Structure formats: structure tokens, C-alpha cells
Amino acid sequence: MILRSWRRRKGSRGDDNESSNPLNGKNFDSVSLDSMKDPIMLSTAIPTLVVPATPDEVSEICSQIVVATHCGDHKRCKELLGKIKAWGRESECNKRCVANNGTGCVLSDLFYSFASVSIEKHVDMLGEILSVLTWMFPLGEEGQSKLGSPASLNSMVWVLKNGDPSARQNAVLVLKKLLSLNQRLVDTLSEIEGIIEALVNIIREPICPKATKSSLTSIYYMISPSSVSVALTPRFVELGLVWFITELLVDAEKGICERALGVFAGICDCKEGREEAYKNALTMPVLVKKMLRISEMATEFAVCTLWKLFKNAKRDEDDDENVLVEALQAGAFQKLLVLLQVGCDETVKEKATELLKLLNPYREKLGCVDSSMDFKSIGGSIQ
């Protein structure tokens, strides 16, 4: 079609052959006849036009998927899914068109259909659907209902445990987005065997930063205060999550640090989590180090975690002195003073002030008094 269009332009413009020539601007002395016949050269000279997907085309494909799903025509479903994937690969514009015309709901129903029949038999197809669903959010209520069903969630967990790295990455991305829309799904997830181990394994054996962040976010939702988090959080602790988090915080990027600190703060709501934190030699150094210069969110989580550890140390450890001394040795007093000087959220400010009051009695014992870092310089008192 492109060549016919070119010929028409050439014939209609007559003398303007030079401007119509797709090789215009090239040095013909250096171009041999053989190279001009080369299809690779011609393909670069004549650009391929990509026709964007239209809403009507997307709706037609979705209708066909619905029919094929209800008929149990899995081969046809796979062909149609391939068309959607091809559109997504072509451009971001196509992705938006596909996502905005009800495809997410249709694919959620397709995933549910395959998951309800047999996970092992259709694991490849389930993985393909998940790879497309990663760019389909937010879903409508019907899509969320299908994807959040016990059968669908059970399939996602199976992929998280047994899939290849790419499939596991897609599964945790979809799970994270689903939980962000409906945190009540934590109740259903908590009853699926292996979900906690699968999420921790993604942190222990990283696939990529995106998967690590998605796993941390999912864990954060699961341990946030709820009727089931009381039982879930200690299970995460048993699998060594505190150790993995502190190791991760040493040199992680900003997005991972924020999420890891959020999870750490949540873990320290339970006694088992705090006990593991007290034992870990990296706890105080990484919390103090990450208190500043990352983001306001990271600062809030770091201060909140320190506050939980300090306030519960006497009850948990029968001796809060070791915890406070470790924090002082890591430079917590100076960092907290700087935090108050540069300004912070009122809630964070209250916790930071309380932490300074707890730390102050131990400063002279350790010889940590520094006249240049005095609480009085910011108009307060720690007596």
C-alpha cells in the first residue's frame, strides 16, 4: 500500500521526481545497484507505518474473547490474547486504548475461567494473561471481583511459588495492584498456603527492583493493622524478614528503601518482630542512616520504627539501656536534632522529641556530648 501511494505521488507531481524518491539525499555514486535492490536497505528507506488500535477493534476482540471463554475454546482465547499483546508492544497509545475499553474486565474473567479449570494444565496461559493484566489497572468492580476470587488468587500464588522469574514478576505486580484497590482481599490471601513464603522469597532472591517493590508493598498491606495481621506478622518474622529487610536497606534505591522501612515499621508492631530487630546488629545503623536524605516518607517510617523499639525496649528486653546505647553509638541523637532543625511533620516531630528525651540521659556516659549539637539551640528542652 505504501509503494502504491508513493507511485501515485510520483505520477501526480511530474517534475518533482527527486523529492518523491525514497533514496533522496543519498550519494548515488556510493550506492551500488545491488545495494539498491537489497530489501533491508529499502525497508529502512521506506518506514513502516504502524496503524494504532481503535476502540471498535478493541471492543470486537473483547467480544470474541468473551464468546471463546464461554465456549471453552482455549486455542481461540490464546490467539486473541496474542493480538492484544501485539497491540501493547506497538505503542503506549495502544495500551491506553486497550485498557480504556473494558479489556481488563474481560481478561480478569478469562483468568478466572482458566484458574477454575486447572492451574497446572493452563499455567502458560495464566502467565500470559498476567503479563497483559500488569498494564490494565485500575480494573472495574467486576474485574476486581473475578481477579480477587479465591480461585484466581490461588492461581496467582501458585505462579508466585512455581512460575519462572518473568511469570513470578507479573504475578506479584498484579497482586500488588489488586491489593491497592481492595485491601480486604488480605483475608482471602491469608488462607492460601504458601503466600507468605512466596512473597518473602522474592525479597530473598530478587528478580528485579520492580518485583522487589511490589512484594514489599504487598507485605505492607498484609501486615497493616487488621483482624488477620496479628497472626500474619509473626509468620513473616519466622521466615527471617527482619534480617532480609535490614540487609536490603544497606544500599537500596529510594523506592525500595521507602517500602522496606514501611514494612519494618509494621513488623515492629508485634513483639516477635521487635525481638528480632533488637538482635540484629544492623537495625540501629540502617534506621539512623535512612532517617534523612531519602524522603519524608522514609523519615517518618524510620522515626516511627525507632520510637516503637525505644518505647517497648524495657518491656520486651527487661533492659532498655542496650537499645538506647546502640542508637547513640549509631548517631541517632545528632540525626534527630538535625531533623528537628530542618523541619518535619508534626507527628514525626513529637516522636523525635520523645526519642531525644529518652536518649539524653545516656549521652554523658558515652562521652557523646557535643556543644555544636545542643537541643537548646532549637528552642526545646530535653530535661
Side-chain angles (χ1 to χ4, degrees):
M1 185 176 81
I2 296 172
L3 289 174
R4 288 200 299 272
S5 175
W6 170 45
R7 291 192 186 104
R8 284 198 298 271
R9 291 200 306 272
K10 181 178 180 183
S12 63
R13 298 181 64 176
D15 295 332
D16 196 22
N17 290 337
E18 184 179 350
S19 62
S20 302
N21 195 329
L23 297 177
N24 183 39
K26 293 186 179 293
N27 184 355
F28 285 96
D29 293 335
S30 63
V31 180
S32 67
L33 182 61
D34 289 339
S35 66
M36 292 178 68
K37 293 178 181 179
D38 186 352
I40 296 177
M41 180 176 179
L42 288 175
S43 67
T44 57
I46 306 172
T48 302
L49 297 177
V50 178
V51 180
T54 66
D56 288 341
E57 288 176 321
V58 174
S59 296
E60 176 60 26
I61 291 292
C62 287
S63 297
Q64 292 181 39
I65 291 176
V66 170
V67 172
T69 301
H70 290 167
C71 293
D73 190 346
H74 297 160
K75 182 179 179 181
R76 181 59 177 158
C77 287
K78 191 170 185 178
E79 291 174 359
L80 295 168
L81 183 64
K83 178 62 177 176
I84 293 175
K85 290 187 70 175
W87 274 333
R89 284 193 297 266
E90 286 175 359
S91 69
E92 290 297 317
C93 179
N94 276 357
K95 283 186 176 182
R96 288 192 295 272
C97 181
V98 171
N100 292 336
N101 283 279
T103 311
C105 181
V106 171
L107 293 185
S108 297
D109 185 52
L110 180 62
F111 187 88
Y112 170 77
S113 176
F114 277 97
S116 300
V117 176
S118 171
I119 300 174
E120 290 85 352
K121 184 178 178 180
H122 301 299
V123 63
D124 291 338
M125 187 61 179
L126 291 169
E128 291 290 314
I129 299 170
L130 287 171
S131 71
V132 181
L133 281 171
T134 57
W135 45 274
M136 289 291 166
F137 284 79
L139 299 172
E141 288 187 12
E142 186 178 349
Q144 290 181 45
S145 175
K146 290 291 185 180
L147 211 53
S149 66
S152 294
L153 290 175
N154 201 48
S155 294
M156 272 185 246
V157 173
W158 192 96
V159 174
L160 274 174
K161 293 191 297 182
N162 305 292
D164 60 42
S166 178
R168 291 170 62 219
Q169 175 184 333
N170 291 328
V172 76
L173 284 171
V174 171
L175 182 62
K176 180 260 295 186
K177 291 181 179 183
L178 198 57
L179 286 174
S180 70
L181 293 174
N182 185 1
Q183 294 179 36
R184 291 191 299 273
L185 292 175
V186 169
D187 293 349
T188 306
L189 269 176
S190 65
E191 297 175 1
I192 299 176
E193 184 179 353
I195 177 60
I196 294 177
E197 291 82 358
L199 290 173
V200 172
N201 281 340
I202 289 179
I203 298 172
R204 179 169 56 193
E205 301 172 359
I207 300 171
C208 68
K210 187 180 290 188
T212 300
K213 286 187 277 191
S214 295
S215 181
L216 287 168
T217 304
S218 299
I219 292 172
Y220 179 78
Y221 287 131
M222 292 187 72
I223 66 175
S224 294
S226 69
S227 58
V228 297
S229 65
V230 177
L232 289 178
T233 306
R235 289 172 60 191
F236 279 109
V237 175
E238 287 174 11
L239 292 173
L241 187 58
V242 171
W243 190 87
F244 296 133
I245 290 290
T246 53
E247 288 287 322
L248 193 62
L249 282 169
V250 172
D251 57 1
E253 62 174 73
K254 174 184 173 182
I256 290 178
C257 271
E258 290 175 336
R259 291 162 176 80
L261 287 168
V263 171
F264 205 170
I267 286 175
C268 288
D269 281 331
C270 76
K271 182 178 180 180
E272 294 86 349
R274 292 192 299 270
E275 287 176 346
E276 288 300 311
Y278 295 135
K279 295 177 193 174
N280 195 306
L282 284 175
T283 295
M284 291 304 164
V286 295
L287 287 176
V288 172
K289 180 182 178 182
K290 303 300 178 180
M291 194 187 302
L292 299 173
R293 297 182 182 179
I294 296 179
S295 68
E296 290 184 8
M297 182 186 297
T299 296
E300 181 177 352
F301 283 138
V303 171
C304 182
T305 306
L306 286 171
W307 184 84
K308 290 175 182 179
L309 292 173
F310 285 14
K311 294 292 288 182
N312 291 285
K314 195 170 188 64
R315 183 178 60 190
D316 294 340
E317 298 290 289
D318 294 326
D319 180 12
D320 59 349
E321 182 171 340
N322 288 338
V323 176
L324 296 170
V325 168
E326 281 184 32
L328 279 171
Q329 291 172 335
F333 196 90
Q334 291 83 351
K335 285 286 184 73
L336 288 166
L337 283 176
V338 172
L339 176 61
L340 292 178
Q341 288 173 329
V342 299
C344 56
D345 178 83
E346 192 62 33
T347 303
V348 177
K349 183 179 179 179
E350 289 177 5
K351 284 185 168 61
T353 303
E354 193 169 353
L355 292 175
L356 285 168
K357 290 179 179 179
L358 291 170
L359 289 168
N360 192 53
Y362 299 92
R363 291 174 70 209
E364 291 188 12
K365 294 180 181 179
L366 295 176
C368 295
V369 179
D370 184 349
S371 60
S372 66
M373 300 294 288
D374 193 343
F375 192 84
K376 293 180 180 179
S377 65
I378 56 174
S381 172
I382 52 175
Q383 301 302 323

